[in-house]
Amino acid sequence: DIAHDLRNPLTVIGGYLESLKDGKLSPTPERFETIQAEVQHLERLVDDLRVLSLADAGEMTLHHQPVTPSDLLAKTASAYQHLARQRGVEIEVQVESSLPATLLDPERMEQVLGNLVSNALRYTPAGGKIQMSAEEKGDRLIILTQDTGSGIAPEDLPNIFERSYRG
C-alpha cells in the first residue's frame, strides 16, 4: 500500500529532524546516512507513483531494446543477492543459454522482476530458495519466478493484481 509506505520514511525523517533540531540527538554521519536513505526511498516511491500515473493515462513510453533473458535474470538476481544471503535464502537462475535476445524495456522488466523477487524474499524463510527461469514456448518467452515461501492464500488469489492489494 503506497500510503502506508509513504508514512514510514516521513516518520523516520521527521523524527530524526525534530530530535536533531531539539538537541535530543547529536548529528552523526550514521544519522545523516539514515535520513538520506529514507529520502532515497521516498524518491523511489514518488517515481513509482509517476510511472503508475503515466501507465493509467496510457502515456507511458517503453524503450524497447534487445536483451537476452540470461542477462536480464542474472542482473535481477545480482541486485538481490546480498539481501538474499543476509536472509539465508538462495537465488537460483535457470535459463537456456540458447535463448535469443528479446525486444523489451529492460528498466521496466527489471522493475517487475525486482518486485517479484522482493516479495519472494519477504515471504521465504531462511533456508528457502527463489528460482527464476526463462524458456521459449513457440514464439513466446516465458519468465517464471518460484519460491519456497508461504505462498498466497487461495482466497487472496482473485485480488492479487488489484493495485495496492495486500493479502
Side-chain angles (χ1 to χ4, degrees):
D1 179 75
I2 291 175
H4 173 73
D5 287 345
L6 285 173
R7 282 193 300 273
N8 188 29
L10 290 174
T11 302
V12 172
I13 294 167
Y16 269 107
L17 291 176
E18 184 176 330
S19 295
L20 288 165
K21 181 183 86 167
D22 293 345
K24 294 177 183 173
L25 287 177
S26 59
T28 65
E30 294 79 20
R31 289 184 177 128
F32 286 122
E33 285 176 24
T34 299
I35 292 169
Q36 180 63 35
E38 293 300 318
V39 167
Q40 290 170 343
H41 180 80
L42 276 174
E43 288 173 342
R44 285 189 302 273
L45 289 171
V46 168
D47 190 53
D48 287 349
L49 286 171
R50 183 187 61 77
V51 169
L52 280 173
S53 175
L54 288 171
D56 283 348
E59 297 177 7
M60 186 166 65
T61 304
L62 297 176
H63 303 284
H64 292 96
Q65 57 190 47
V67 177
T68 62
S70 58
D71 287 346
L72 178 67
L73 296 184
K75 188 172 181 180
T76 302
S78 176
Y80 288 90
Q81 202 62 253
H82 180 71
L83 183 58
R85 272 193 220 108
Q86 286 180 327
R87 295 186 177 189
V89 174
E90 178 187 354
I91 296 180
E92 181 181 282
V93 175
Q94 293 182 343
V95 179
E96 297 171 18
S97 59
S98 62
L99 286 180
T102 302
L103 283 179
L104 52 82
D105 183 325
E107 186 177 335
R108 293 294 158 237
M109 282 304 297
E110 288 166 17
Q111 183 179 19
V112 168
L113 292 170
N115 286 340
L116 291 171
V117 172
S118 177
N119 284 338
L121 280 169
R122 192 174 295 124
Y123 297 104
T124 301
K129 183 192 287 190
I130 297 168
Q131 185 176 11
M132 296 187 302
S133 61
E135 59 187 46
E136 205 169 19
K137 293 238 176 158
D139 62 346
R140 294 179 184 248
L141 173 67
I142 309 294
I143 296 177
L144 302 166
T145 61
Q146 296 177 291
D147 62 71
T148 57
S150 57
I152 301 171
E155 62 270 13
D156 291 329
L157 285 173
N159 303 308
I160 63 171
F161 293 108
E162 290 180 23
R163 180 171 298 148
S164 300
Y165 178 81
R166 288 196 179 190

